Amino acid sequence: MLMNIPVGDTERPVPRWALRLAKALPFVLLPHCLWRLPFAFDLRMGTVDPAAGAYVWWAAPYVIGLSVLTEALTVLTLGLVSGWGEVFPRWVPVLGGRRVPPLAAVVPAVLGGLVLVALFDGMPLGWLGVFAEVGYSNGWWMLLGRICTATAMFWGPVTIALAWSYHRRRRPGVG
């Protein structure tokens, strides 16, 4: 499915680095999404959290939904390097076939990227002990957990970089 999404079919050429980043982003976040799935079924993955409550029925739909939403949002960033990010697809009611105002894509992408930086890019501070983080039963679980979740630190900066590239390509007078 992901390979069938047209990218680079834009009015002005997309830089090669932006195409590569946009295509890679869903795969970069995949370890983060997969790491979280066992928690949906009360498998603690070596974490030790005395404050963790008992398993609740809504954990599975919540965690699975969060992983699906994460991947869907990474695929949405492909709009920043695709024709469907410049012209609304025909099937979109009222707006179909009209040009996407550049700021309608840039502002949410930059704001979303900043929120993602705030959420995930402080993780190394937890690793260094600057603030508390969940404990692990041993070093191997900790290493696996950090490797899998560290990929989320790229999401915000990549989204902001793609928004910057989109803005530069779509600004008036360029071409």
Side-chain angles (χ1 to χ4, degrees), residues 20-175:
R20 288 182 177 160
L21 278 177
K23 287 179 181 180
L25 192 59
F27 299 105
V28 169
L29 267 287
L30 193 57
H32 183 79
C33 293
L34 294 176
W35 168 260
R36 138 179 355 125
L37 290 178
F39 291 93
F41 304 101
D42 203 28
L43 300 173
R44 303 290 175 145
M45 304 293 285
T47 60
V48 178
D49 185 4
Y55 181 76
V56 291
W57 68 268
W58 50 265
Y62 170 75
V63 172
I64 292 168
L66 189 58
S67 288
V68 169
L69 178 64
T70 297
E71 283 298 312
L73 290 173
T74 62
V75 171
L76 190 58
T77 60
L78 288 172
L80 297 170
V81 296
S82 304
W84 56 269
E86 295 180 357
V87 177
F88 288 105
R90 293 256 177 233
W91 56 265
V92 176
V94 181
L95 300 173
R98 294 184 183 178
R99 291 183 61 74
V100 174
L103 290 180
V106 171
V107 171
V110 169
L111 291 176
L114 291 172
V115 167
L116 293 167
V117 165
L119 283 173
F120 298 116
D121 287 14
M123 283 194 295
L125 296 176
W127 303 342
L128 296 172
V130 174
F131 58 83
E133 68 170 347
V134 119
Y136 289 91
S137 59
N138 64 52
W140 292 109
W141 278 116
M142 181 175 66
L143 179 64
L144 180 62
R146 288 182 178 172
I147 288 170
C148 290
T149 58
T151 61
M153 290 188 294
F154 296 107
W155 192 6
V158 167
T159 301
I160 292 168
L162 292 173
W164 175 77
S165 172
Y166 179 92
H167 170 69
R168 288 187 47 92
R169 198 174 67 253
R170 299 275 325 271
R171 69 179 180 217
V174 174

